[in-house]
Amino acid sequence: MNHSTNILPVDYDQTLVLAIELSNKSWVLAAQVPGLSQTKAKRTIEPNKNDLLVAINGYRTRAAAAGRPVKRVIASYEAGWCGFWQRWLIAHDIEVHVVQPSSVPVDRRMRRAKSDGIDAELLLRTLLAWLRGEPRVCSMVPIPDEADEDARRCVRERSELVSERVGLVNRIGAILATLGADDYNPLLQSRRRRLTELRTGLGNPIPPNALAKIARLLTRLELVLVQIAELELERDAVAKTDAPDQAGKMIQQLIRLRGIGVQSATVLVREAFVRRFANGKALGSYAGLTSTPYNSGGIDRERGIGKAGNRRLRTVMVELAWLWQRYQPGATQVVWFRERVGSTGRRVRKVMVVALARKLLVALWRFVIDGVMLEGAVMKPSI
């Protein structure tokens, strides 16, 4: 997950480098201040942005007193619950880089000391190494634009509602299973009428308390179904608009390919393609579709994919990889997959489909970003 932004050379005599360890109770700062040693540049502040500005101005004052006025401030923090509030820092002329937490190297001793202060110092050392031009020391999270980040909330909300729908349907089914009642689908329009007609395994009506509980679950289910329908209308409107924005154009490009529907195209664009990636390798890492080999000494084995990236993107790509074999049998990616799988068993196919998903993701990214057509792919017939 490499950061695609080109970093200007750092003049450490005029640059304040700051690492921020965030928590609910306090923020710990570790800084390299021009003219001062690192051991004197660590402090704890209240968890709010105004106190952070006060601390940064304090570092500026100390650097100026040492004869090294600060002309550039570089800050870093780990991605997490705090979101991308770096936009507020950027508005105050502070350069910000967001680190992917799992990419920061840590001490491997069984009983290692851990505190917010130690973590802040580790983050500072990692940031300094990255600024020196060591891209492999950590991964920087590609930061979406504010409008793109807001637009993807609809995609994620629909996924959450679909999960709620599945949960409610399963709970209704569990109640009826204990009563011996079957052949009931709560997703049908006639759900209320058919509920009153249901009988238990003994031929009796559904008991009143169970009936009341199912009715309440149906009320919640109906609300979820309405909200899903509203989100899908908004989603489909983007695909049909005559003057779409850049993200809308990419969605319309993708749905022209056979095997890709509006939902898959929307997830791909909102979760990945609106961000900037240096290359296909960085995109595959962001999706968590990179391999994790263990090859040391006499041991050589593959431990599967890392799964450290975007779970939603990874899920839709694996689903799309299976669909691609059906709807795009002549595509280069499918030919490559079939040559390697051949007549092997199901297990090998399930492993190799992840590699197909990664290749397909990169190919689709190049299709919408650079206009590189997927070799062998077929477009949907124009209506």
Side-chain angles (χ1 to χ4, degrees):
M1 222 187 294
N2 298 324
H3 199 45
S4 58
T5 305
N6 294 323
I7 304 301
L8 298 175
V10 180
D11 180 4
Y12 293 100
D13 290 334
Q14 297 179 329
T15 304
L16 169 63
V17 184
L18 181 68
I20 311 170
E21 178 66 22
L22 303 171
S23 68
N24 290 325
K25 295 183 177 180
S26 63
W27 290 355
V28 179
L29 312 181
Q32 177 170 289
V33 184
L36 300 178
S37 64
Q38 294 185 38
T39 57
K40 299 179 180 179
K42 187 171 68 174
R43 61 181 298 181
T44 302
I45 63 173
E46 292 295 320
N48 66 75
K49 295 185 283 290
N50 291 327
D51 283 4
L52 177 60
L53 275 186
V54 172
I56 292 175
N57 291 332
Y59 287 135
R60 288 179 182 271
T61 302
R62 294 170 64 184
R68 304 286 179 83
V70 174
K71 295 184 178 180
R72 182 182 179 189
V73 180
I74 302 177
S76 180
Y77 67 93
E78 292 182 343
W81 60 270
C82 54
F84 296 112
W85 59 276
Q86 86 293 337
R87 300 184 184 102
W88 181 87
L89 293 172
I90 293 173
H92 289 80
D93 297 325
I94 299 172
E95 182 181 329
V96 184
H97 304 286
V98 183
V99 181
Q100 194 217 10
S102 61
S103 70
V104 178
V106 297
D107 193 335
R108 295 189 301 170
R109 287 177 291 187
M110 182 175 296
R111 289 192 177 182
R112 65 182 181 91
K114 177 176 173 59
S115 67
D116 288 345
I118 293 174
D119 290 344
E121 290 180 353
L122 174 61
L123 184 59
L124 176 62
R125 293 197 301 271
T126 303
L127 174 61
L128 290 170
W130 187 76
L131 292 173
R132 286 195 303 268
E134 300 181 29
R136 296 182 182 273
V137 73
C138 70
S139 298
M140 294 296 179
V141 177
I143 302 169
D145 295 331
E146 190 170 4
D148 292 329
E149 185 183 9
D150 186 63
R152 76 181 181 186
R153 295 188 187 278
C154 294
V155 179
R156 295 187 173 187
E157 183 183 2
R158 181 187 177 277
S159 299
E160 294 166 0
L161 290 172
V162 169
S163 297
E164 290 183 29
R165 182 183 67 188
V166 172
L168 290 169
V169 170
N170 289 343
R171 291 173 66 182
I172 292 172
I175 295 172
L176 294 176
T178 61
L179 299 173
D182 55 9
D183 192 25
Y184 178 74
N185 186 353
L187 296 179
L188 297 177
Q189 292 286 345
S190 58
R191 63 181 74 88
R192 297 279 183 176
R193 177 181 57 80
R194 296 195 70 252
L195 180 61
T196 60
E197 298 173 353
L198 275 180
R199 293 294 182 268
T200 66
L202 299 177
N204 301 321
I206 302 297
N209 288 331
L211 188 65
K213 182 175 181 179
I214 294 175
R216 287 189 292 269
L217 290 172
L218 287 178
T219 301
R220 290 154 63 182
L221 177 62
E222 288 165 351
L223 175 60
V224 169
L225 292 175
V226 169
Q227 292 178 341
I228 291 175
E230 291 174 352
L231 290 172
E232 289 177 346
L233 285 176
E234 294 181 15
R235 177 202 63 192
D236 296 343
V238 174
K240 297 177 181 178
T241 183
D242 295 329
D245 56 9
Q246 184 61 32
K249 290 178 182 177
M250 289 191 285
I251 292 174
Q252 292 181 357
Q253 279 183 276
L254 288 173
I255 62 177
R256 290 172 54 205
L257 291 166
R258 286 189 61 187
I260 300 182
V262 180
Q263 178 61 24
S264 297
T266 303
V267 173
L268 287 174
V269 172
R270 299 300 185 190
E271 294 290 347
F273 295 165
V274 294
R275 299 192 178 200
R276 295 177 293 275
F277 296 94
N279 47 47
K281 183 178 180 181
L283 175 60
S285 178
Y286 174 72
L289 290 171
T290 53
S291 61
T292 54
Y294 189 96
N295 189 347
S296 178
I299 302 176
D300 184 5
R301 60 188 178 91
E302 179 59 56
R303 296 176 296 177
I305 58 176
K307 295 186 178 181
N310 189 308
R311 174 179 52 83
R312 298 173 181 85
L313 177 61
R314 183 169 59 253
T315 299
V316 76
M317 280 313 307
V318 172
E319 293 174 352
L320 195 57
W322 289 112
L323 292 172
W324 205 248
Q325 299 175 54
R326 176 180 178 184
Y327 292 101
Q328 299 284 0
T332 304
Q333 298 80 17
V334 176
V335 173
W336 172 88
F337 175 80
R338 290 177 175 170
E339 286 177 351
R340 281 154 180 78
V341 172
S343 59
T344 56
R346 181 181 300 178
R347 181 181 180 279
V348 176
R349 293 177 63 87
K350 289 177 67 176
V351 172
M352 288 299 297
V353 80
V354 178
L356 172 61
R358 185 182 181 279
K359 293 177 70 70
L360 180 58
L361 174 63
V362 175
L364 293 174
W365 174 64
R366 290 174 176 160
F367 171 63
V368 297
I369 299 298
D370 301 324
V372 180
M373 183 60 188
L374 286 79
E375 186 177 349
V378 180
M379 311 296 286
K380 294 175 181 175
S382 57
I383 300 177

